[in-house]
Each structure stands twice: as C-alpha cells, then as structure tokens.
Amino acid sequence: QNGLIWFGAGVSIAEILTGTYFAPLGMTKGILAIVVGHIIGCALFFFAGLIGGRTGLSAMETVKMSFGKRGGLLFAFLNVLQLVGWTAIMIYDGALATNGIFDTGAWVWCLVIGVLILVWILIGITNLGWVNKIAMAALFILTLVLCKVIFFDGNPAADTSAFGEAMSFGAAVELAVAMPLSWLPLVSDYTREAQKPFAATLASTLTYGLVSCWMYIIGMGAAIYTGEGDIALIMVKAGLGIAALVILILSTVTTTFLDAWSAGISSESLSKKLSGKWVAVVVTVI
C-alpha cells in the first residue's frame, strides 16, 4: 500500500517538466546527475519516514521531538501554508497541460482535477485500495506508452545546447535532490501507521526514488528526442489524445492528493479540534 501511494506521488507532470531542464547535459551526464541526486534525496526521505514509522507520529509531530511543542507549531503552520501552495500549483500545472490537449478553458480542468482530488480525500487514504490499484495500473501502462513514443519513435537531437543554457553538473544534482526533499515534511504521515515500519519506509523510498528518476528521464528524453519541452504537446503530436488526458489528470490527482491530505494531518498538530480530512477538503477548494 505504501509503495502504491508513492508510485502515485512519483508519476507527476512537475517531475517530467523538471527533467526537461537536464537536456543540455546530454543523456549520459543527465542520467548520472538524476541518479546521484535521488540517492542523496531519498536517503533523507528514508530516515524521515523511518522516524515516523517507528514512533507512530505524523511528520509535524516528529518535528516536535527536536523543536519542542511551540517550535513544532511554527513548522506545522508553515507546512500547511506551503502545502496549500503545492496543491494550488499542481492543480494549475495539470490544468494548463490538459488544456493544451483539449482547449475548453483551464478553469474547467482546474475544477475537474479539484473535484477528483476531493473524491480521493473523501474516500480516505486507508480505503483507497482498489481505486489506487486501478489508477496506478492505468498510469503505469500509459507511462510505458509515453516512453515508447519518446525513446523509440523520436530522433535524438544532435545539438543539445539548443535547449538553453547548460547548468553545471552540481546544479543538476541539486535539482534532482530537490524533489525527494520536498516530500520530507509529508512522508511520516504515511509511514506512521505501517505494521512493519522499516519495510514500509524502504518500499516507499525505493518506489518513489525509481519512479521519480524515471519521470526525470522521460522529461529529459522528451527534450532531447523530440526537441520539445511541453509534455502535452509531445502527447498530442504522438496522437495519444484520450490516453494523454488520462495521464495528465490521474498523475496530477494522485500526487496532489498527498499534498492536500498532509495539509490536513499537519493542521491536527496545530489543534486537536481540527479534522484532518475536512481541512484537506478546504485546502483543495482554496
């Protein structure tokens, strides 16, 4: 179950778009930077998750172990604030990308994605079993199709400098570390109830790390092999149509749901009177 949750988190438009920035490095150096960065980021991700799994505490409750109750309140408040921001930008990015395929107005897709996130929240993390399995199976198959379109039907560009200014290898590693690091204030929210904390955290870390690397490489490959940074446009050119729509919407929902859900869990650290589920609903609406 933990593996499925983090598979959904890893398959994300944000990760694919970030991958496009690695194109100027070329395929070999780009993959090396992505892998090194993810090893560093996922090591921190693993230990943060293990603390939550072994103590049975949410991410923001584990912060109180180091910073005390009052210090923990500050971080919980900041976390809710940044998760409102993450939820917003993810819905916005997903809607823009989807609107690039079916031009009905980005606001329509914002509503569609937002409503689906609300459905995920109302079902609840512990009851998502079969819904998540269907969603992940669909995403897995469609992502394989996307790989085929990019890596087997595209032609590698000879001049990778056309993709903009090349960043240094160090900066590229840093950009790869950033994504697993961004989940640090959330991971314990999902490992805290695990029956086997170590196994659940390891499964979460390995699944997320591998899938995140895969998304980065898809983004980089898309830029190198198709000369295009807009993933929606790549899908349209490949004639994916409805499949592209499903990838964009489902991947946005399964990732953003975790942001909204964790905003709710973090709010419970601020006050025991708050219900995590309903705060998550409010965050999604905002």
Side-chain angles (χ1 to χ4, degrees):
Q1 278 184 331
N2 275 270
L4 279 177
I5 287 167
W6 290 102
F7 180 90
V11 180
S12 147
I13 299 304
E15 306 234 357
I16 293 174
L17 289 175
T18 308
T20 61
Y21 297 130
F22 287 72
L25 290 172
M27 214 60 185
T28 309
K29 276 183 81 175
I31 289 174
L32 186 61
I34 290 167
V35 171
V36 170
H38 276 79
I39 289 170
I40 297 166
C42 286
L44 294 165
F45 177 100
F46 172 78
F47 289 117
L50 191 60
I51 291 168
R54 286 186 171 169
T55 58
L57 297 173
S58 69
M60 289 302 108
E61 288 296 313
T62 64
V63 169
K64 291 179 181 177
M65 291 160 62
S66 296
F67 293 93
K69 280 191 176 179
R70 287 183 184 173
L73 288 175
L74 171 66
F75 289 106
F77 172 74
L78 292 173
N79 199 38
V80 172
L81 199 62
Q82 69 118 359
L83 287 172
V84 173
W86 266 113
T87 305
I89 196 67
M90 293 298 283
I91 293 172
Y92 175 79
D93 278 349
L96 278 188
T98 311
N99 200 53
I101 297 173
F102 293 95
D103 190 7
T104 54
W107 67 273
V108 174
W109 296 115
C110 277
L111 289 175
V112 169
I113 291 167
V115 167
L116 283 171
I117 293 167
L118 291 176
V119 169
W120 249 248
I121 290 167
L122 294 172
I123 292 172
I125 196 85
T126 50
N127 302 318
L128 266 178
W130 63 272
V131 179
N132 237 11
K133 280 172 187 163
I134 294 167
M136 296 315 148
L139 275 180
F140 183 66
I141 293 163
L142 291 171
T143 313
L144 289 177
V145 173
L146 188 58
C147 279
K148 181 193 175 294
V149 167
I150 291 168
F151 294 106
F152 296 100
D153 300 346
N155 296 304
D159 181 20
T160 53
S161 65
F163 305 119
E165 193 182 338
M167 63 175 122
S168 68
F169 184 78
V173 169
E174 200 172 312
L175 198 57
V177 174
M179 209 58 86
L181 214 61
S182 72
W183 291 108
L184 238 62
L186 283 74
V187 58
S188 288
D189 298 344
Y190 305 97
T191 55
R192 63 178 178 160
E193 291 173 359
Q195 291 169 340
K196 297 175 181 174
F198 182 85
T201 308
L202 187 63
S204 302
T205 307
L206 291 177
T207 305
Y208 177 74
L210 289 169
V211 174
S212 182
C213 284
W214 185 17
M215 292 303 113
Y216 269 66
I217 291 166
I218 284 177
M220 180 173 65
I224 293 173
Y225 280 72
T226 67
E228 182 61 65
D230 186 342
I231 200 71
L233 212 60
I234 292 165
M235 292 179 186
V236 171
K237 284 179 182 174
L240 287 178
I242 299 296
L245 189 70
V246 175
I247 292 175
L248 293 171
I249 290 179
L250 262 189
S251 63
T252 303
V253 170
T254 56
T255 305
T256 314
F257 157 72
L258 297 180
D259 295 323
W261 187 264
S262 278
I265 292 172
S266 293
S267 72
E268 291 175 349
S269 291
L270 294 171
S271 170
K272 298 296 177 197
K273 292 177 183 174
L274 292 171
S275 161
K277 179 179 271 194
W278 293 107
V279 170
V281 167
V282 171
V283 165
T284 307
V285 171
I286 290 170

